[in-house]
Amino acid sequence: MPFCQVTLSANAGAAIELGGFRLWVDALHDEKVPGFSTVTRSLWAAVRAHPAFAAPDLLFFTHCHPDHFSQRLAREALELWPRANIVLPENRFPGQALLSGRRERVRLPNLTLDFIRLTHEGPRYADKPHYGCILESRGFRVLLTGDCRLCAPELREFLEESGPVDLAILDFPWLTLPQGRQFVRQHIRPKTLLVCHLPFAEDDIYGYREAARRSAPKLEGVDVRLLLEPLQQETLEDA
C-alpha cells in the first residue's frame, strides 16, 4: 500500500491519504472562474463514488474563494459523512474549527497538522484569511500552500524552522516562474512536487498546461508531477 496518496478533484482540490487519515483540501468548489476548472455536477457525482474520497476524516479549506470553496458542496459532504470535521478560516458552519491565529497545531493519532497564516497572492487579496499547512506522519511531511503569495517571507520563515518536506503541493506559478523555482530549490526542497491549480484541457484558454510542461524539466533533482486530469491519482512511498 502507498504511504501517501493524492487524488485530484479539480483546480487545487484533492483528497490526501496519509498515516491512515483522509484529508480533503480545497476539494469542493462549483463556481466557474475563467481559465480554470471546477467541480461540475458530473464530477461531484464521480467524486462521491470514488474510493479515494470515501469517508473523509477532515475537510480543510485554505480560504473561501470560489475556485477553492463551495459552501453548498461542503454542506452536502458533511451530510453524507457526518463524522467528518471541517477546518477553515471563516465562520461558515456550526461546530467547525476556525483558523484564526498566526500558527495553529492539531495533533491526531499518527498525524500532526501545523497550520500557518499565509498572505494570498495579489495585493487585492492580501487581507483574505488564508492558511497553509504541513502534514506530518512518521516523519513524512507534506506542504500545502493554497494560493500563497509567491516567495512569501512568512512561508520561508516557517520552512526554516521546520525543515524540508517530502512532498509539496503547489500552484503552478511556483514551477513556471523563475523566482518560484528558486524558492522551491532553496527553501521548500521537496523530494516530490505535485503541481496543481492547472485547468483541464477544455478550460485552458491561457496555455497554463503547456507552460507547466515546459517548465517541469527546469526544476532539476525534484520529482515533478503535474495534476492535469479529474480524479488523477499520485502515490508516494515512505522513504
Side-chain angles (χ1 to χ4, degrees), residues 12 26 62-63 65 68 116-122 125-126 128 130-133 143-156 158-159 169-174 177 180 183 188 196-197:
D26 291 351
T62 61
H63 61 299
H65 278 163
H68 288 253
I116 177 172
R117 181 155 183 159
L118 297 170
T119 305
H120 192 290
E121 183 63 67
Y125 303 126
K128 182 71 174 177
H130 176 273
Y131 281 77
C133 184
L143 173 67
L144 312 171
T145 61
D147 284 354
C148 174
R149 179 163 63 96
L150 212 63
C151 308
E154 65 269 26
L155 178 59
R156 183 185 67 243
F158 185 45
L159 292 164
I169 305 177
L170 305 178
D171 288 357
F172 67 86
W174 294 90
L177 297 179
F183 190 98
I188 301 178
C196 65
H197 220 307

Side-chain angles (χ1 to χ4, degrees), residues 1-141:
M1 291 292 290
F3 184 69
C4 181
Q5 181 173 270
V6 179
T7 307
L8 182 69
S9 61
N11 201 34
I16 301 172
E17 291 190 45
L18 179 65
F21 191 86
R22 181 169 290 149
L23 167 76
W24 291 14
V25 55
D26 291 351
L28 300 175
H29 44 87
D30 58 1
E31 183 174 328
K32 190 74 172 65
V33 176
F36 296 102
S37 300
T38 194
V39 180
T40 61
R41 291 180 64 183
S42 60
L43 181 53
W44 176 217
V47 164
R48 295 196 306 270
H50 198 286
F53 286 89
D57 297 291
L58 180 68
L59 277 60
F60 166 47
F61 293 93
T62 61
H63 61 299
C64 294
H65 278 163
D67 59 336
H68 288 253
F69 169 75
S70 163
Q71 187 154 338
R72 180 182 67 84
L73 292 185
R75 185 183 299 113
E76 289 185 19
L78 293 172
E79 290 171 354
L80 287 167
W81 296 288
R83 298 182 64 179
N85 295 302
I86 185 166
V87 177
L88 64 163
E90 296 185 20
N91 265 316
R92 297 297 185 98
F93 299 94
Q96 72 167 74
L98 176 67
L99 296 171
S100 59
R102 180 171 174 266
R103 302 271 187 94
E104 301 197 29
R105 172 172 288 182
V106 175
R107 293 186 184 275
L108 301 166
N110 301 318
L111 185 70
T112 299
L113 300 91
D114 281 315
F115 297 97
I116 177 172
R117 181 155 183 159
L118 297 170
T119 305
H120 192 290
E121 183 63 67
R124 64 185 292 193
Y125 303 126
D127 294 329
K128 182 71 174 177
H130 176 273
Y131 281 77
C133 184
I134 287 182
L135 315 173
E136 182 169 352
S137 179
R138 289 174 26 206
F140 188 96
R141 293 156 49 78

